[in-house]
Amino acid sequence: MSKIKILLAEDEMALGMIIQESLESREFQVTLCADGLQAWDSYQKSKPDVLVLDVMMPKKDGFTLAEQIRKTDPYTPIIFLTSKSQTEDVLKGFGLGANDYVRKPFSMEELIVRIKAQLNRLQLRKNQSDWMNLGKYKFHATKQLLKLENEECHLTARESQLLKILLENANQITDRSLILTQIWGSDDFFNARSMDVFITKLRKKLQEDTQIQILNVRGFGYKLVC
């Protein structure tokens, strides 16, 4: 079985080498780059499975690099390493296509768990043409169908997009602003109210399975429990 390829871009080389050695000891294949330009060149040549990018890098910062990659590659997971904690920076990163943030300082175990979680979600996306299990239901994202035994429920495009994002992050909090940016294009007040309406609709369509809940985690987002 081939190793998972990780492109790690970190300009603090001492830290980068520690992360590289730790990941390689867990059977990952890691390419370490010292700046954004080097990382872009490496990305084009190697096509990694996961990108772990420091935000503040010389020559090309992590945000710019992620934006460049997302123009042609919407799927490869991007995890930002950052010492920034401002909400604006987090939202900017998600808006540019980031999948996750890890704030410095962090433990290697946390980073590894987040990498594996992104790989699992990527596999779900690749299987989106297939039926996905959701408690007693079957969900088909492409056909926009929710199925319970022999009964089918047709979803709107937006309902299907919303349920797909929640299912990809099942049993974890999905950032409210991330959902709004991906589906509605912005996280303004009116779009937020619209999303709340769609959440209510999905709850009703999933009510036949009492083990499924869509929880509103106040101040953060939603959590699909199943």
Side-chain angles (χ1 to χ4, degrees):
M1 183 177 178
S2 59
K3 293 182 178 181
I4 299 296
K5 295 189 295 184
I6 297 177
L7 192 158
L8 170 64
E10 171 59 67
D11 65 314
E12 295 180 40
M13 290 309 294
L15 174 59
M17 291 176 68
I18 291 172
I19 298 172
Q20 181 182 25
E21 290 174 6
S22 297
L23 290 174
E24 288 179 341
S25 70
R26 269 78 162 189
E27 301 303 317
F28 292 103
Q29 179 182 325
V30 183
T31 300
L32 174 61
C33 300
D35 60 63
L37 282 179
Q38 186 182 349
W40 170 243
D41 185 56
S42 178
Y43 164 78
Q44 291 180 298
K45 291 177 181 177
S46 65
K47 295 300 180 184
D49 299 300
V50 181
L51 295 135
V52 180
L53 309 177
D54 185 33
V55 171
M56 301 300 293
M57 291 188 293
K59 300 183 181 179
K60 190 190 294 285
D61 64 69
F63 287 151
T64 303
L65 178 57
E67 184 176 22
Q68 190 172 9
I69 290 169
R70 282 292 181 251
K71 288 179 180 178
T72 57
D73 179 356
Y75 295 118
T76 302
I78 296 176
I79 300 174
F80 278 132
L81 302 179
T82 180
S83 54
K84 293 186 173 185
S85 59
Q86 292 90 343
T87 302
E88 298 79 29
D89 291 314
V90 174
L91 293 179
K92 180 180 179 180
F94 280 128
L96 292 172
N99 299 89
D100 204 354
Y101 258 85
V102 178
R103 289 187 172 89
K104 299 176 181 178
F106 57 87
S107 71
M108 282 307 305
E109 294 306 320
E110 177 189 2
L111 178 59
I112 290 167
V113 165
R114 290 177 181 269
I115 288 172
K116 289 181 177 179
Q118 291 305 322
L119 289 169
N120 289 337
R121 290 169 192 164
L122 178 61
Q123 190 59 47
L124 273 177
R125 291 190 188 100
K126 289 180 177 178
N127 294 336
Q128 68 178 359
S129 60
D130 300 325
W131 289 98
M132 292 185 278
N133 293 319
L134 175 55
K136 295 178 181 178
Y137 293 88
K138 298 282 187 180
F139 170 55
H140 201 300
T142 306
K143 294 181 179 179
Q144 298 170 206
L145 284 176
L146 195 61
K147 190 173 182 180
L148 179 63
E149 296 178 349
N150 295 321
E151 294 184 11
E152 289 187 348
C153 174
H154 290 267
L155 304 178
T156 66
R158 206 156 260 181
E159 286 173 341
S160 187
Q161 285 178 290
L162 180 54
L163 183 57
K164 180 173 176 286
I165 290 175
L166 292 172
L167 184 54
E168 288 174 349
N169 296 279
N171 299 309
Q172 301 182 63
I173 297 173
T174 307
D175 185 271
R176 185 181 182 89
S177 296
L178 175 62
I179 299 173
L180 287 167
T181 301
Q182 287 190 1
I183 300 178
W184 277 267
S186 71
D187 61 347
D188 64 35
F189 173 78
F190 296 103
N191 287 336
R193 292 297 299 272
S194 175
M195 181 173 68
D196 291 338
V197 172
F198 278 89
I199 289 289
T200 300
K201 290 180 178 178
L202 285 178
R203 284 173 175 150
K204 288 180 179 178
K205 291 180 177 180
L206 294 168
Q207 64 185 356
E208 295 302 319
D209 188 342
T210 57
Q211 299 300 310
I212 298 175
Q213 297 181 71
I214 303 178
L215 305 178
N216 182 2
V217 184
R218 192 172 298 277
F220 293 95
Y222 290 100
K223 182 177 182 179
L224 174 64
V225 179
C226 59

